[in-house]
Amino acid sequence: MAKRKKEEEINNNPLADNVHIKGAGSVQSEIITDTLKSNYMPYAMSVILSRAIPEIDGLKPSHRKLLYTMYNMGLLQGSTIKSANIVGRTMQLNPHGDAAIYETMVRLSRGNESLLYPYIESKGNFGKAYSKNMMYAASRYTEAKLAAICHELFDDIKSDTVDFVPNYDNSMTEPTLLPVTFPTILCNVTTGIAVGMASSIASFNLKEICDTTVALMKNPDHVVSDTLIAPDFVGGGYILYDKDELEKIYSTGRGSVKVRAKYSYDKKYNCIDITQIPPTTTSEAIIDKIIELVKTNKIKEINDVRDETDLSGLKITIDLKRGINPDIFMAKLYKMTPLQDSFSCNFNVLIKGRPMVLGVKSILLEWIDFRLECIRRRITFNLEKKRKQLHLLKGLSKILLDIDKAIKIVRETESESEVVPNLMIGFGIDEIQAEYVAEIKLRHLNREYILKRIKDIEQLETDIADLEATLSSKNKMKKIIISELDAVSKKYDKGRRSEVLYEIADEEIIDVVEIPDYPVTLFLSEQGYLKKIKTANLRMSGEQKLKEGDKMLPETECSNKDELLFFTNKQQVYKSKVDDFADTKASVLGEYVASKLEMSEDEQLVYMAVLSEYSGYMIFVFENGKLAKVDVSAYATKTNRKKLINAYSSKSALAQALYIKEDTDIVICSSAGRMLLVNTAGILPKATKDTQGIAAMKLKKTHKVTSIHLYQQGEFEKEWRFRAKNLPAAGALPSENDVAEQITF
């Protein structure tokens, strides 16, 4: 009865199938780090090493398997074949579905326009990288073959230049890398997202990359930016040149490149045609954004926008309303749409199985090492081949001494297996040479044939000596690489696609947003905190809040539409608008100007000028007594540049700066207590910002200029004592009746 009850319990137990498994049905505790190591880490490493990150030959495993399959199919020559056939054959190396393999082929094709130097010549609809709606046709409808540039990927592959490994089912072998003859890693855009890391490599012009590589081989200290101008994208557009950012990319492998769309204006139809866009966006995304801006009334200048892309290429047409300036309107679109975008660089490359983020220079040096190894292996392969051939011919030369003897030995040997040993004994040659002689056809056992073959011995000995000399000299191997790079550059370079705009470095797009106009009062503290308070609210404001030890400078009344020039101790000026600072109240500290304008850590604000227009003068007085008068128009730019260098002279320390709308009297003060009254009308203004100015105040060696300020009528009892007839002048000491001592500098 008990036994029967036990059986019923087992039959009714949902875990009955596992009753014989130890621990089945119970909760097991595991250490999370152990689980991650055993389950998650192998997956992460597989994605990093075998899927997402490119290697030094510029290819991911899926790319390499596809191209190598096409090479084995003989598609480097001849006509195109069906893509479905190629996809099916690639499955022998790539254990993925046909859809994933075909997508890889599409991206590598010329028709898709994803790569600056495509590896696959396509026939049929392969879609377009710049359009998400223009999808590629199925593989049964399209055809493909390898592009001519693939000769540079495969010509050395049969010379033992790279290692081969078994494929996933051990039925064939595949190369671990391709022996590329130029740095493909930097010639095509490559992006990939792995586990815990990603890669985003910009493309560069082939000639510039080859020239830079050659220069680095000749001089490892070569400055990359001297020969490598900027990235180059298949979609063209404008590269906004930023030297500092490019230097950062070249040295660290991280940074961003601003790319702007290219357009033309058709005056006849009053429309803008956009024909080249950044690589990070699509035509649909641009059009959708423009439509969104129109619906929200942020753009009112257009009548219509449409996609007119056809067989001739990309084209987005924007119909303008009458009287609209196309250049100003496009400046607005650059700011508000993806027509200007940044390509983020993260040069993460697998180097000998290890992911490493490297700058352009480091990647090229790694590629040079890789290519040197390929050349060494190729020379070694050819050397061994020629040595074997020479060895055989030397054996054949001994037969020449007595051909009849060789024929007699073969004829009189009863057993076939004894032919080779008897030839070895008869002529004193080794087994390999004897086997070679024994395999010679009867018709070739004549003096003429053997003499012709033996003539190659001298050439082979010369070739072997040359190969051995090259193999022992790293410089000679480098010369081979240089000659190959020069040949590749001449053969495949077709000029830059992306045009570089130098004159707008460090510039932002023109601010075209309508700025509200109302009176405000600016409060700037000595430590660089700025408050903007509406003048209408100023009466209700309480005491100004300040950091401990800080002090408020004289307030300034202005308009919200005015501009600000912030001069720093690094001879730089940062441009901003009053509207860029938020309205606030007296009870807050305000915005820290250095942080908002992204000044460097050791940069300090020395003066703020408020301008309603670019007229008037900047007065700079230096500790050495010199005074510079610079026309404010020198700080005006056609576009809204945020920072200008060489804002004033660096020859001497700045004592103080002062903005004046028109010529007026100013007072220069020295550490000796002397004061000099000068009218700025007597000083010629300069258009050069960093002018040293003129000598204004005579100083003794131990004294220096400390400050300047606007002259107040009645400040001096006897004004003529302080006013100079000629400059430079020493000035005068104030008397007891002068009120100058009451002025705070």
Side-chain angles (χ1 to χ4, degrees), residues 383-442:
L383 185 60
E384 290 301 316
K385 188 176 179 181
K386 288 184 180 293
R387 281 173 176 168
K388 289 178 182 178
Q389 189 177 1
L390 178 63
H391 183 65
L392 295 175
L393 292 181
K394 283 186 176 179
L396 185 62
S397 66
K398 293 183 179 180
I399 300 296
L400 181 63
L401 299 174
D402 197 342
I403 298 175
D404 293 336
K405 180 180 178 181
I407 296 172
K408 183 178 180 182
I409 290 173
V410 174
R411 186 175 63 245
E412 294 181 354
T413 301
E414 294 182 1
S415 174
E416 182 182 354
S417 61
E418 295 297 321
V419 172
V420 171
N422 289 344
L423 286 172
M424 291 170 62
I425 296 170
F427 290 95
I429 56 180
D430 60 27
E431 185 177 356
I432 296 174
Q433 292 171 321
E435 188 71 43
Y436 174 68
V437 171
E439 292 295 330
I440 294 177
K441 293 180 181 180
L442 183 63

Side-chain angles (χ1 to χ4, degrees), residues 342-356:
S342 294
F343 183 94
S344 296
C345 297
N346 179 21
F347 289 5
N348 196 354
V349 185
L350 283 178
I351 304 295
K352 299 176 183 176
R354 292 183 58 191
M356 302 173 69

Side-chain angles (χ1 to χ4, degrees), residues 375 379 465-474 476-477 480:
I375 295 295
I379 293 173
D466 290 342
L467 289 172
E468 288 175 341
T470 303
L471 195 60
S472 62
S473 173
K474 191 173 182 179
K476 288 186 177 181
M477 288 193 285
I480 294 174

Side-chain angles (χ1 to χ4, degrees), residues 591-638:
E591 293 187 76
Y592 188 49
V593 176
S595 176
K596 184 175 181 65
L597 300 182
E598 299 178 354
M599 297 181 186
S600 58
E601 292 182 5
D602 57 343
E603 202 166 6
Q604 296 177 358
L605 180 64
V606 295
Y607 185 73
M608 178 185 75
V610 183
L611 313 177
S612 58
E613 57 183 359
Y614 281 90
S615 63
Y617 309 100
M618 281 301 305
I619 303 297
F620 300 99
V621 63
F622 303 96
E623 291 183 356
N624 64 358
K626 287 194 173 184
L627 185 146
K629 178 182 176 183
V630 180
D631 199 311
V632 170
S633 61
Y635 300 96
T637 52
K638 292 182 180 179

Side-chain angles (χ1 to χ4, degrees), residues 485-628:
L485 288 170
D486 289 339
V488 169
S489 177
K490 291 176 182 177
K491 192 172 182 180
Y492 300 105
D493 175 55
K494 295 181 180 178
R496 287 188 63 88
R497 299 280 189 92
S498 298
E499 188 177 340
V500 181
L501 296 182
Y502 293 95
E503 66 275 11
I504 55 173
D506 293 327
E507 289 184 6
E508 294 291 334
I509 302 304
I510 298 173
D511 191 351
V512 292
V513 179
E514 188 66 26
I515 298 174
D517 185 10
Y518 55 88
V520 296
T521 303
L522 302 181
F523 296 87
L524 180 67
S525 74
E526 286 185 345
Q527 294 185 13
Y529 287 89
L530 180 66
K531 302 178 192 180
K532 183 183 77 171
I533 302 175
K534 290 183 178 179
T535 305
N537 300 336
L538 200 57
R539 291 181 181 178
M540 298 180 289
S541 298
E543 187 178 351
Q544 296 289 343
K545 183 178 180 181
L546 290 168
K547 290 186 71 175
E548 187 177 350
D550 200 0
K551 187 170 67 173
M552 193 65 71
L553 298 174
E555 62 192 57
T556 306
E557 293 184 3
C558 63
S559 167
N560 187 57
K561 297 186 72 172
D562 288 349
E563 297 212 20
L564 301 173
L565 299 181
F566 294 97
F567 293 86
T568 73
N569 61 337
K570 297 293 184 181
Q571 293 82 45
Q572 297 188 135
V573 61
Y574 290 80
K575 301 176 66 175
S576 180
K577 294 184 180 296
V578 175
D579 186 64
D580 293 339
F581 292 85
D583 293 327
T584 185
K585 49 189 176 181
S587 59
V588 299
L589 283 175
E591 293 187 76
Y592 188 49
V593 176
S595 176
K596 184 175 181 65
L597 300 182
E598 299 178 354
M599 297 181 186
S600 58
E601 292 182 5
D602 57 343
E603 202 166 6
Q604 296 177 358
L605 180 64
V606 295
Y607 185 73
M608 178 185 75
V610 183
L611 313 177
S612 58
E613 57 183 359
Y614 281 90
S615 63
Y617 309 100
M618 281 301 305
I619 303 297
F620 300 99
V621 63
F622 303 96
E623 291 183 356
N624 64 358
K626 287 194 173 184
L627 185 146

Side-chain angles (χ1 to χ4, degrees), residues 37 54 57 84 156 165 171 282 402 413 434 482 495 501 603 611 642:
K37 287 179 181 178
D57 62 351
D156 286 348
V165 294
S171 61
T282 61
D402 197 342
T413 301
I482 290 172
L501 296 182
E603 202 166 6
L611 313 177
K642 289 292 184 183

